Every structure is written in structure tokens, then in C-alpha cells.
Amino acid sequence: MTFVANLLAGKTAFVAGGTSGINLAIARGLATYGARVGVFSRNPERVAHATAELQAIRPDAAGFVGDVRDYASAEQALAAFHATAGPIDIVVSGAAGNFICPANQLSPNGFRTVVDIDLMGTFNVLRAAYPMLRRPGASLINISAPQSTEAFWGQAHVSAAKAGVDMLTKSLAVEWGREGIRVNGIVPGPIEGTEGVSRLAPTPEIREAWEKGNPMQRMGTGEEVANTALFLCSAAASYVNGTIIYCDGGQVLGGPRDYSESWHALQAAARTK
Ligand code: HXC
């Protein structure tokens, strides 16, 4: 138990978007396992709330207010964290924006806004962090989404942005690997209690269909995504670079379509013949 709790002892971790949902769960996991954590997001109240929660785990946790869309603001927050915490071992880029809107009704600014937050935001955070990273040893994790490889109605802007995030993950892995910097991604499936799920599954019917369409018949938890991040930034993943890990209960294998009930009915009918 002591060994596990010290998994990230002496490490520093900066989590963009780390004040709510999956990213806060990751920040919580990193702090619990011994990392000194800094979280960064737009909303000052959320930053204050998340920082207080993380300080209950580790008193040296810090919060920074800013917008990933603004390179200078990301750089300023990273520099402030770096100045007190030292070389940065772990960066999680998870700030994201989402809403459902079919492309033929979406304004160019709506499309740009999501691309700016997800894709430009990830570039800004990782590019600004680059000179401050520990070499060798830094681990960078980009939070992607199922939309990066699957097309969903009303999600063209998110798919375009997250597909870009995945290619950025792979490109930086190729460029920065020689410096001992690993860059990987995580695709979380539907995760309980997140803003993403409440936006994309706003009714109990949609939620139930989503759960039924998942091979594990349930949504995941923030802690399960945090555990995937813990693997990626630990020494256990020292040769894992440029990979995108799905933490989705296997949803990507079957997509959102669930034919299992009619399939079981057919099987039952065949057995009685
Ligand atoms: C159509 C919309 C819209 C909507 C905003 N816009 N919401 N268009 N339908 N529901 C348009 C606006 O009209 C505007 O274009 C442009 O987008 C910018 O809107 P703002 O409100 O000015 O942007 P901003 O205040 O910067 O807010 C960004 C946001 C917002 C993305 C729109 O929703 C936000 O802050 N979201 C952050 C939290 C979040 O989304 N979390 C979920 C992430 S989940 P015009 O042309 O009018 O100027 C995720 C993966 C989920 O990413 C995967 C689940 C499996």
C-alpha cells in the first residue's frame, strides 16, 4: 500500500481543465499517489474549489486561472507552477468544450470555439510546457474522446477537434520522444457525473440506451480514467509513447448500436425450433 501511494512521489503534475469532471478526477488521483499538482481553468470559482479539495490531499496543490485558448495565459500559469514546483514531470491537457449542434446550423464561430479550446488549447499547453519539462522522464497526456474516430450526429466540431488532438499526440510523440518525453492520449467513454455526459445524454432514455450499447453495460467513473492516466505517467509505461488508450468499457468496439436484445431473441427462437 505504501509503495502504491508513493507511485508519483517527487513528481510534479500540471492539469489543464483540472477543476471539474474527468480532469479533476485525474488531478485527485495524481495528488493521492504523491504528485505535486497544479490545476488550470477559466472559472475562478471552480479553480478555488478544486484547489481547496486537492490541498486536503496535498497542501502544496496550486490553482491557476486562465484560458487554454490564450497561449500567454497558459504559459503564465505553467511558468508560475514551474517556478515553485520545479521541472514538470506530468502534463494533462484536458480542457474541452462541447455542445450538440448539427453542422448545417453551426456558426463558423461555434465550430472555431470548440477547435480553439480542444485542439489549439492542447497545442498551447504542451508547447508552453515544453521548455519546462523534465528530460528525460516527462509524460504528457491528452484527453481525447470517442468522437476522434467515430462520427456522431451534431458533433462535427468535436470530431474535427479531437481527431486533431490525436494526431497532435502522435506527432509530438515522434518529435519529443528522443528527449525522453512521452506523449500519449486517453479516450474516455461515457463517464458518470461529467458535463460531457449531461450534455450528450440529457434524458434518462438516451442515458439508458448509451449504457445498454456499452459492452460493460454501464458508464465509467472518473477514478477509472485517473487510473489509466496513472499508468501512462508511471514508470510502468516507460516505453509507451504515441499511444491512445481507450478507457471506455469497450464501447468503441460496438459503437452506440446495440442489437443484443434482438440477437438474443433470435437465438432463443432458434433454440426452440
Ligand atoms: C450551437 C453554440 C452552442 C450550442 C455555443 N455555441 N453553444 N452553437 N449550439 N449549444 C456557439 C455560440 O453561438 C457562439 O457562436 C460560439 O459557439 C461561442 O459561444 P460562447 O458561448 O461565446 O463560447 P464560450 O463562452 O467560450 O463557451 C465555450 C463553449 C461552452 C464550448 C460554447 O459550452 C463551454 O464553455 N463549455 C465548456 C464545458 C464543456 O463543454 N464540457 C464538456 C466537454 S465534454 P456565434 O456565432 O453565435 O458567435 C467533451 C467530450 C465528451 O468534450 C465526450 C463524451 C463521450
Side-chain angles (χ1 to χ4, degrees):
M1 185 59 100
T2 311
F3 169 74
V4 172
N6 286 332
L7 187 71
L8 302 177
K11 305 266 187 194
T12 59
F14 185 90
V15 184
T19 58
S20 65
I22 291 171
N23 301 304
L24 176 55
I26 292 174
R28 216 181 272 133
L30 297 173
T32 302
Y33 284 84
R36 178 171 181 160
V37 174
V39 290
F40 176 59
S41 90
R42 262 193 303 164
N43 183 317
E45 281 167 22
R46 280 188 178 177
V47 171
H49 195 265
T51 306
E53 189 197 318
L54 293 165
Q55 282 173 345
I57 304 171
R58 274 191 63 114
D60 57 7
F64 305 92
V65 179
D67 193 330
V68 293
R69 288 173 282 191
D70 174 3
Y71 183 81
S73 125
E75 189 176 41
Q76 212 171 10
L78 280 151
F81 182 62
H82 179 248
T84 53
I88 303 175
D89 296 284
I90 298 157
V91 179
V92 178
S93 172
N98 197 353
F99 50 80
I100 296 176
C101 184
N104 62 3
Q105 289 164 41
L106 183 60
S107 72
N109 192 40
F111 187 90
R112 182 186 305 116
T113 297
V114 171
V115 171
D116 268 354
I117 299 171
D118 294 23
L119 179 54
M120 278 308 301
T122 296
F123 177 78
N124 287 342
V125 168
L126 299 193
R127 175 66 186 87
Y130 177 75
M132 308 171 205
L133 297 175
R134 189 179 308 278
R135 293 169 168 76
S139 169
L140 316 183
I141 300 171
N142 296 330
I143 305 303
S144 183
Q147 289 90 328
S148 65
T149 52
E150 288 179 76
F152 293 86
W153 189 92
Q155 291 282 277
H157 41 312
V158 178
S159 283
K162 291 296 194 182
V165 168
D166 285 359
M167 282 315 297
L168 188 59
T169 297
K170 294 176 190 180
S171 303
L172 299 185
V174 165
E175 291 194 14
W176 297 355
R178 69 188 61 193
E179 297 174 62
I181 299 167
R182 296 181 297 107
V183 191
N184 292 290
I186 298 175
V187 171
I191 302 300
E192 291 283 3
T194 57
E195 203 172 327
V197 162
S198 65
R199 283 173 186 239
L200 300 183
T203 69
E205 291 75 26
I206 299 176
R207 191 194 151 91
E208 195 190 336
W210 211 348
E211 284 173 341
K212 276 189 167 174
N214 188 292
M216 294 190 73
Q217 304 282 289
R218 67 170 177 87
M219 297 207 177
T221 66
E223 203 180 320
E224 287 174 317
V225 182
N227 285 336
T228 307
L230 280 167
F231 164 67
L232 283 175
C233 63
S234 75
S238 56
Y239 201 49
V240 180
N241 188 31
T243 295
I244 293 155
I245 297 186
Y246 281 69
C247 178
D248 70 343
Q251 178 165 299
V252 68
L253 303 174
R257 299 159 294 275
D258 181 8
Y259 302 121
S260 58
E261 270 177 27
S262 46
W263 171 251
H264 290 313
L266 274 174
Q267 293 284 299
R271 276 197 296 272
T272 57
K273 275 185 187 161

